[in-house]
Amino acid sequence: MVTTVLDEKPEKVQAIVIFQASAGFGPYECGAFESIAAEMDKKQEELAVVAGTSSGSLNAVMIAKSYKDQQKSTRTATAKKAAEDLKKFWTTVLPFQFPQLFPPYAGLQFPLVENMQRLLNVGFTFLVGNPHMFTRDLSALSPLAPYHYSASAVEKTLQEHFGTYEGRDPRLIITAVNVQSGCIKTFDSGKEEITPEMIAACGSFPMLVPAKNIDGEYYWDGGAWTTTPLGDVMNSLMSLDDDKQAAARESIPMYKVYLVNAHPQQAPLPQELVGVIYRMWDILVGDKTLYEIKSSERLNKYIELVQFLKQHYDKLPEEVKPEVKQSYEYIAQIKKWATLHFVHLRRAGLPGDYWSSEADFSLNRINELIDQGRRETQQQLEDWNSRQEEVESLQKEINDLLEKLEKQQAAPVH
């Protein structure tokens, strides 16, 4: 676990944004990033790492590309512009649907008609695919074929709208799983150039599209290993700098980690077969990072305690001073640790989810999910900030009390 606490607060907090494997919920993550971007720009947080797997990798790569394009044209980049570019990608490049059955009427809603349209959109996608993401493979019509679609369409889309990416400003991390070895494969722009073929590998869902061949190795969707690549990002942070750069750092960096999870963790008990299947899928692909987050938070608290004791070293009993000194020196010598503060953002289910499944790429559905992501994330960020203000206020009260006690102890007795 790469986590620690600083003696002094760093000048700027660096942001890490991680997108979960989300299938048809990619637009939700797009909307979520719109609210995250507003938070980052408001607090002047620099995007250090953007990561994702499966469809989450699409969001990650387009954000990285926007930063790269902005820096080329203006030498500066904002999260807001990256969010706008990502939304444009989802709403102008990727939509595809069955022709509208009935024209929408302002102020009127017809749930049955809307749900029928959703089902037709999903059925149409399964029948012909999406010309911007995946298409039917006519050479694999047998029900027993290992796959039924081709991912060449998404490679073509990415070649046109993404190109390649290399560098650490921000660092782009996407993941796939090696079919033969069963091990995770991390594609890291800090070490290699990210290509459309690599991105396609990260979204090559088993049984739908063939495993992607890259340099003689075959890869499936990274969500088959883990739907939230938090561990892979944390491991990559260990190699963010070489040993000389890390040793030269005056302070350990602080990261604010935005985890965007598109699959609802909680939901009502399903009452029909479709609901059972859908809920089972949510649980299978849901976020599993709680243990990693809790472990990081516990380690942070331990190190905070050690540093607090070091600050009051002179007042400690002599018998505990050697152990406190040893623990503090151990913390100080590890130059590649970082402070991690987690912001866990979760999606709530919508009534239309059953009908739209994860294969409705109509513009209406995309806009529905973008709006939900923006709205829910904004509220969750406000709640998180409120809790942080309460914690900081309590810490200030404790520090003021300790300072007052120290002054009383230091005052001469008459």
Side-chain angles (χ1 to χ4, degrees), residues 25 27-28 31 91 109 114-115 118 347 350-353 356 360 362-376:
F25 295 123
Y28 176 88
T91 56
Q109 291 184 332
E114 290 176 4
N115 289 335
R118 292 176 190 269
R347 175 181 177 269
L350 289 177
D353 285 351
S356 289
D360 185 350
S362 65
L363 183 57
N364 285 343
R365 175 62 170 173
I366 287 174
N367 281 326
E368 177 185 49
L369 289 171
I370 288 175
D371 181 65
Q372 183 196 12
R374 176 194 53 75
R375 187 179 63 254
E376 290 184 352

Side-chain angles (χ1 to χ4, degrees), residues 172-174 176 185-189 192 194 198 201-202 214 219:
L172 173 62
I173 297 173
I174 55 177
K185 170 64 177 178
T186 301
F187 298 107
D188 184 345
S189 70
E192 59 187 326
I194 304 298
M198 294 175 180
C202 296
I214 298 179
Y219 297 99

Side-chain angles (χ1 to χ4, degrees), residues 330-372:
Y330 173 73
I331 293 169
Q333 72 182 1
I334 309 259
K335 294 293 185 179
K336 291 188 179 182
W337 282 4
T339 305
L340 302 179
H341 296 288
F342 294 97
V343 185
H344 218 155
L345 306 165
R346 293 186 174 91
R347 175 181 177 269
L350 289 177
D353 285 351
Y354 281 12
W355 302 91
S356 289
S357 182
E358 298 191 17
D360 185 350
F361 295 100
S362 65
L363 183 57
N364 285 343
R365 175 62 170 173
I366 287 174
N367 281 326
E368 177 185 49
L369 289 171
I370 288 175
D371 181 65
Q372 183 196 12

Side-chain angles (χ1 to χ4, degrees), residues 100-110 113-114 364:
Q100 192 82 22
L101 281 181
F102 302 98
Y105 294 93
L108 296 178
Q109 291 184 332
F110 302 96
V113 174
E114 290 176 4
N364 285 343

Side-chain angles (χ1 to χ4, degrees), residues 75-107:
R75 295 188 179 182
T76 60
T78 65
K80 179 182 178 181
K81 181 63 169 63
E84 291 172 353
D85 291 342
L86 178 61
K87 184 176 181 179
K88 183 178 179 181
F89 179 68
W90 274 105
T91 56
T92 64
V93 177
L94 298 182
F96 183 68
Q97 71 178 68
F98 189 82
Q100 192 82 22
L101 281 181
F102 302 98
Y105 294 93

